[in-house]
Amino acid sequence: MTPPTTIKTRHDSSRNAAALRAAPGACLVIRGGRVIDPASGLDRVCDVVTEGGVIREIGKKLGAPSGARVIEAEGLIVAPGLIDPHVHLREPGHEYKETIASGTAAAVAGGFTSICCMPNTSPAIDTPELVRFVYDKASLSGRCRVFPVAAGTKGREGKEIAEIQLLHKAGAVAFSDDGDCIASAQVMSRVFAAISQTGSTFMQHCQEPTLTQGAAMHAGTVSARLGLTGWPRMAEEIIIERDVRLLRHLRSPCRYHAQHVSSAGSVEIIRRARQDGLPVTGEATPHHLLLTHELCENYNTLAKVNPPLREAADVRAIVEGVSDGTITILGTDHAPHSAEEKSLPFEDAPMGMVGLEFALPLYAEALVASGAISWPRLIALLTVEPARLCGLDVLGLGTLCKGSPADITLIDTSAKWKIDPASMVGKSKNTPLAGRRLTGRAVCTIVGGVVVGAE
Ligand code: DOR
């Protein structure tokens, strides 16, 4: 990857913070790629011209203005910059695992131009000051756009409702206590009611806590063999079922998003809720689309994740959910942890795995190579869909429409490579997939008309 070009950053106090853009006259011409913009229905071989950080023109055989940088994109997909709505950046508080600088470097290496970061930091992102801290830090050290998701309850303790309106005004793009579930139905319904006043989204970490106390992995044959406490599917399903029921009782329900869906039963609950017209979405991670609990054999802590890897039938149901439009959001749940933490005994090791740098080929393997969906649909799941979920579409993100920010990802769908922790740029390398062969890669990442990641 080439070193980053200087990015001019601007932070204003509106929701349009973390704006990154090229100098006013700077021009980029991306020539001859297959331009796929699901938001506008575009899918054809043509050129894209950016100027001053925005999309100026898309069309056939456009001339290059003098001084323009030209990128030859023949054979590549030219997509809107990819968006990941579920990332842990660990700043403030756990900078030894990841920082906004290192996490955004990992993001652009993987083709992501916007990421939404979770509030399970230390302290938790539960005040307007902390929301602004993330924007400010991202303006200074971020390589891509960063949008904070704020806690739904103070300290993420699930007890006292956070100052939802103020957090929303400060720029929180959604709310979540991710890492923990809001267990109290009473608190949950109040949080839903408050969020519905803002037009924002609640993202649930679906885990009924009394059913998962001390749980280290999926409750099944492997946990039984290893003598580990199991995390049953129903602990996830019960929460989604409960939340859908709470939403049905609200006059104007807020948007509800079930994070990192791991169970076939959850897919079915989300399917029914959507058929009933409720504003419910579900999210699939690369690991829940591909991996199963057998990976935890030999007490492999790198495969320890929350919710846990489950069984082949769950994987099939999640892929099927993406294929039939039940699951419309893909999120990495990029969860960095240090090597020391992951070398603890299985029960004590933290849950989570990193994902930003190689999510795209894993999604492509699970969803496109398998025949479940097409490349244009995959691009939609990584652009316009998360943009709408987090209100980033109003900032012009998730599309290549004329006048929108020039956030663009170039994809070589046939590039062959391997996951090599030694060449990863994120601070933590906790992945159970080291050595895995991949097909497809983001080969150039452009944020606000500036090339920030390329080979
Ligand atoms: O495995 C996980 N790790 N799942 C979560 O929900 C939280 C995350 C973390 O923060 O480490």
Side-chain angles (χ1 to χ4, degrees), residues 88 90 120 178-179 205 260 305-307 333 335 337 351-353:
H88 297 272
R90 307 300 192 208
N120 61 337
D178 184 38
H205 173 109
H260 42 46
V305 66
N306 193 12
D333 192 9
H337 293 293
M351 294 169 150
M353 52 183 79

Side-chain angles (χ1 to χ4, degrees), residues 81-107:
L82 309 184
I83 299 173
D84 189 341
H86 191 160
V87 170
H88 297 272
L89 288 177
R90 307 300 192 208
E91 195 172 349
H94 299 125
E95 289 84 356
Y96 67 96
K97 297 178 195 249
E98 194 78 286
T99 59
I100 289 172
S102 66
T104 55

Side-chain angles (χ1 to χ4, degrees), residues 129-392:
E129 291 70 29
L130 281 158
V131 168
R132 283 192 283 271
F133 165 84
V134 172
Y135 277 123
D136 288 341
K137 205 66 204 280
S139 300
L140 290 171
S141 65
R143 299 272 301 276
C144 67
R145 300 178 207 277
V146 176
F147 296 97
V149 171
T153 66
K154 290 186 181 164
R156 297 175 47 258
E157 286 180 352
K159 293 177 187 152
E160 217 183 315
I161 178 166
E163 292 179 304
I164 303 285
Q165 281 288 351
L166 295 178
L167 289 161
H168 176 67
K169 282 210 182 86
V173 295
F175 296 87
S176 177
D177 276 8
D178 184 38
D180 287 296
C181 180
I182 296 189
S184 156
Q186 186 198 45
V187 174
M188 192 67 267
S189 59
R190 287 182 183 157
V191 170
F192 285 161
I195 294 175
S196 78
Q197 304 293 307
T198 67
S200 187
T201 301
F202 182 75
M203 300 175 162
Q204 181 71 289
H205 173 109
C206 312
Q207 178 180 5
E208 204 292 316
T210 64
L211 289 169
T212 53
Q213 250 164 24
M217 65 172 295
H218 171 60
T221 50
V222 180
S223 66
R225 197 159 51 242
L226 298 180
L228 295 166
T229 307
W231 193 139
R233 294 182 183 89
M234 67 176 165
E236 177 175 283
E237 296 160 9
I238 280 174
I239 290 298
I240 305 179
E241 191 85 65
R242 177 203 74 176
D243 289 347
V244 168
R245 183 57 58 113
L246 290 173
L247 293 168
R248 286 187 201 278
H249 283 273
L250 281 175
R251 195 182 305 260
S252 58
C254 71
R255 289 191 287 170
Y256 176 83
H257 177 64
Q259 296 182 299
H260 42 46
V261 169
S262 69
S263 149
S266 303
V267 177
E268 187 49 35
I269 298 165
I270 295 166
R271 184 176 286 123
R272 266 191 281 119
R274 288 172 65 84
Q275 280 165 358
D276 291 348
L278 288 166
V280 169
T281 50
E283 170 187 293
T285 68
H287 43 283
H288 292 111
L289 284 165
L290 280 172
L291 309 178
T292 56
H293 63 155
E294 286 84 2
L295 212 59
C296 297
E297 294 277 16
N298 305 319
Y299 300 96
N300 178 7
T301 60
L302 292 172
K304 184 178 179 187
V305 66
N306 193 12
L309 304 178
R310 299 202 187 272
E311 300 181 24
D314 299 288
V315 169
R316 276 197 302 275
I318 298 167
V319 171
E320 174 61 29
V322 174
S323 157
D324 73 10
T326 298
I327 292 186
T328 55
I329 301 292
L330 302 176
T332 59
D333 192 9
H334 176 83
H337 293 293
S338 71
E340 291 69 30
E341 291 168 313
K342 279 292 190 181
S343 60
L344 291 168
F346 198 92
E347 279 131 311
D348 304 327
M351 294 169 150
M353 52 183 79
V354 293
L356 282 167
E357 295 181 55
F358 38 77
L360 178 65
L362 295 178
Y363 291 138
E365 177 184 340
L367 298 170
V368 181
S370 70
I373 60 171
S374 63
W375 266 104
R377 181 61 188 151
L378 177 58
I379 303 294
L381 292 166
L382 290 166
T383 58
V384 61
E385 296 279 9
R388 287 183 185 144
L389 178 77
C390 300
L392 307 183

